[in-house]
């Protein structure tokens, strides 16, 4: 079993024990309801054929349709998708969004494929998982390596097969195709709502605080921007090619322009180079891992200098690292809370698409802030009442809601 899945099941087991449930509840929630592995034959631009592998896992749908991102990355495997699907179930339950959890992935490095090839991969993958998805069944969204264009191709493929346009089948679509105002920035806005709440709890004033952000994609980039806008000095950021560090604080808008021009943060003028490992160990108040799983682990947890970790990525901290960090008094705002802004506005997008009635950016952002801050308060007060870490408190709250939905529905047959 891969590490993310071991950790996800361990978090579930801890919550089940704290909540006093029996082994049957654990068994029911540890196993995904459905999983599908598909082959994706791809005709490359040079005329050769290659066969890729894709997955869709629906961890749970007792509270509503399954919901979760689609990842294109070279190390995607079934266990990783299973772990990510489970975390989606907890995230939706924690935020009171009426969905279960799902996740999809294709084992591919999208950098090595043309746009036309990626379109063929997406359309064939969508066709293969067609029986599982739908606005009332399972609603994909972007994740690592996918974007609003990917969602537009998925929506089109599903709609062509349905004989009519089905806007509610995916979220994270372009605004021109039924996307929601504020969806593109929702995850990072949510990360920063939680960061600011946690900082206030820890008596860290934004204007006197520093941050480092790992990952400069859909989540990391906005997190750096909104932290800087809140007055926090962003000292370092990185992507898969390397990182940049300026002890005086990076000029984030200028950095964004550099990334638009070059495709990477590397080489940004006036800043020193820093690698991804060193970035995690910088002397900062707030660390936002917003790239991949498992970057904070047994090997480096004792060298993390941040006072607060806000998990933009899913699963960036291993269970072993969690224990070390808790022992050292480092506060971790867990992924299922901190990066939930994306699924909240995905839910808003789905509601809007199903009603064909769209909201303003202000309405979306106000409702997003309400839900994020409300969930932060729920998790913090549960953690304080029960003497738990924020992650264990968040997982308990979520597992309790899912288990209660199961109990009320009963077992069929
Ligand atoms: P993305 O593909 O837009 O960006 C990923 C970023 O991470 C890129 O800058 C990439 O260069 C960098 N990266 C990749 N591998 C790396 C490595 N090994 N070391 C350092 N940097 C690396 O993806 P994203 O949507 O920003 O997703 C990032 C994380 O956030 C993932 O864990 C994802 O599951 C999670 N997440 C995303 C959303 C969303 O709405 N997009 C919502 C919730 C959680």
């Amino acid at each position: 079993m891969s590490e993310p899945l071991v950790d996800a099941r361990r978090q579930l087991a801890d919550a089940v024990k704290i909540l006093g449930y029996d082994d049957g509840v654990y068994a029911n929630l540890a196993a995904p309801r459905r999983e599908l592995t598909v082959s994706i034959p791809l005709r490359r631009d040079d005329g050769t054929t290659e066969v890729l592998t894709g997955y869709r896992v629906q961890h749970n749908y007792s509270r509503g349709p399954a919901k979760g991102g689609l990842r294109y990355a070279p190390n995607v495997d079934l266990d990783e998708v299973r772990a990510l699907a489970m975390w989606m179930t907890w995230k939706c339950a924690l935020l009171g969004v009426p969905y279960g959890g799902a996740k999809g992935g294709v084992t591919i490095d999208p950098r090595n494929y043309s746009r036309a090839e990626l379109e063929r991969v997406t359309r064939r993958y969508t066709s293969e998982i067609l029986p599982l998805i739908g606005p009332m069944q399972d609603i994909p969204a972007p994740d690592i390596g996918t974007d609003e264009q990917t969602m537009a191709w998925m929506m089109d493929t599903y709609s062509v097969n349905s004989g009519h346009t089905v806007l509610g089948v995916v979220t994270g679509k372009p605004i021109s195709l039924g996307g929601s105002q504020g969806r593109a920035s929702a995850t990072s806005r949510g990360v920063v709502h939680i960061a600011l709440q946690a900082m206030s709890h820890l008596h860290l004033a934004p204007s006197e605080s520093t941050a480092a952000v790992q990952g400069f994609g859909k989540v990391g980039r906005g997190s750096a921007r909104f932290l800087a806008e809140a007055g926090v000095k962003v000292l370092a950021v990185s992507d898969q090619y390397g990182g940049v560090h300026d002890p005086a604080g990076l000029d984030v808008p200028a950095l964004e322009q550099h990334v638009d021009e070059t495709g990477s943060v590397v080489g940004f003028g006036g800043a020193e180079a820093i690698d991804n490992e060193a970035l995690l160990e910088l002397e900062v108040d707030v660390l936002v891992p917003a790239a991949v799983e498992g970057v904070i682990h047994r090997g480096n947890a004792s060298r993390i200098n941040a006072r607060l970790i806000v998990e933009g990525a899913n699963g960036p901290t291993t269970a072993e690292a969690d224990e070390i960090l808790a022992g050292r008094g480092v506060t971790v705002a867990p992924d299922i809370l901190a990066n939930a802004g994306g699924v909240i506005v995905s839910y808003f997008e789905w509601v809007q698409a199903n009603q064909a009635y769209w909201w303003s950016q202000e309405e979306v952002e106000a409702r997003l802030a309400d839900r994020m801050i409300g969930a932060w308060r729920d998790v913090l007060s549960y953690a304080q009442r029960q003497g738990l870490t924020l992650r264990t408190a968040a997982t308990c709250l979520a597992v309790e809601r899912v288990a209660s939905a199961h109990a009320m529905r009963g077992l069929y047959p």
Side-chain angles (χ1 to χ4, degrees), residues 243-325:
V244 287
H245 174 214
D246 183 345
L250 295 161
D251 177 348
V252 177
L255 175 64
E256 290 200 65
Q257 201 180 335
H258 172 82
V259 171
D260 288 339
E261 286 160 12
T262 67
S264 170
V265 300
V266 173
F268 176 58
E272 305 155 12
I274 186 169
D275 64 31
N276 266 288
E277 287 71 36
L279 176 140
L280 295 171
E281 297 172 19
L282 271 181
E283 283 278 352
V284 286
D285 299 300
V286 185
L287 176 62
V288 181
V292 290
E293 293 101 71
V295 293
I296 303 172
H297 45 73
R298 187 178 50 182
N300 65 1
S302 58
R303 296 196 301 273
I304 301 294
N305 284 300
R307 177 80 188 78
L308 168 67
I309 297 174
V310 185
E311 294 185 330
N314 285 307
T317 311
T318 67
E320 287 175 327
D322 246 347
E323 273 178 26
I324 298 169
L325 294 167

Side-chain angles (χ1 to χ4, degrees), residues 91 94-95 186-195 219 223 288 309-313 332-342 372 376 394:
K91 197 179 299 182
L94 181 65
L95 273 296
T187 308
S188 7
R189 278 209 188 274
V191 164
V192 175
H193 285 313
I194 296 299
V219 181
S223 300
V288 181
I309 297 174
V310 185
E311 294 185 330
V332 180
D335 45 10
I336 59 171
L337 170 65
N339 70 31
M372 292 301 296
W376 160 261

